[in-house]
C-alpha cells in the first residue's frame, strides 16, 4: 500500500512554516532567542532531510567511485578517511579526484548547516 501521508521532510516544513507564521510573531522578547533557535533547528532538520533524498545518493556514488566500492554515505565516509590515512590518494593523479569529491562533500554539508554562507561564497568567487 502506498503511503500518501506527508513524509518527514514535509512534516518538518509544515511545522517550521507554522512556527514562523503563527508562533514567532507573538513570542515575548525575553523568549525570542530561544524561539529563533527552535526555528533554526527546524530549518536545519528540513535541509538534512532534503539532503538525504537529494545530494546524499550522488555523494555516495562519487565517494564509492573514488574508492571502487558501493554503499551509502555513512558507510563510505569512514572508509574514505581510512583510505586517505593509508595514503591511497597521495599520488598526484589521485589527488585531483579526491579534492573534487571532498569539495562536493563540503558544499553539501554547508548547504545543510549554513546555506546563507554557501550563497555568499557562490557570489564571491575566489575567496
Amino acid at each position: 500500500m502506498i503511503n500518501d501521508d506527508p513524509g518527514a521532510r514535509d512534516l518538518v516544513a509544515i511545522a517550521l512554516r507554522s512556527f514562523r507564521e503563527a508562533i514567532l510573531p507573538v513570542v515575548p522578547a525575553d523568549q525570542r532567542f530561544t524561539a529563533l533557535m527552535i526555528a533554526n533547528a527546524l530549518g536545519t532538520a528540513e535541509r538534512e532531510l532534503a539532503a538525504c533524498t537529494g545530494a546524499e545518493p550522488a555523494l555516495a556514488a562519487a565517494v564509492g567511485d573514488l574508492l571502487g566500492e558501493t554503499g551509502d554515505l555513512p558507510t563510505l565516509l569512514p572508509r574514505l578517511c581510512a583510505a586517505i590515512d593509508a595514503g591511497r590518494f597521495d599520488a598526484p593523479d589521485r589527488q585531483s579526484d579526491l579534492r573534487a569529491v571532498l569539495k562536493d562533500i563540503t558544499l553539501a554539508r554547508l548547504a545543510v548547516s549554513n546555506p546563507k554562507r554557501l550563497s555568499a561564497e557562490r557570489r564571491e568567487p575566489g575567496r
Side-chain angles (χ1 to χ4, degrees), residues 21-63:
E21 292 173 2
I23 306 296
L24 201 52
V26 296
V27 169
D30 65 326
Q31 296 176 344
R32 185 127 173 102
F33 179 76
T34 301
L36 289 171
M37 285 185 1
I38 292 168
N40 187 45
L42 285 169
T44 299
E46 181 183 25
R47 292 187 300 273
E48 283 184 6
L49 289 167
C52 289
T53 58
E56 197 165 296
L59 286 174
V63 172

Side-chain angles (χ1 to χ4, degrees), residues 38 41 45 57 73-74 82 89-90 114:
I38 292 168
L73 202 56
F89 300 99
D90 288 352
N114 195 346

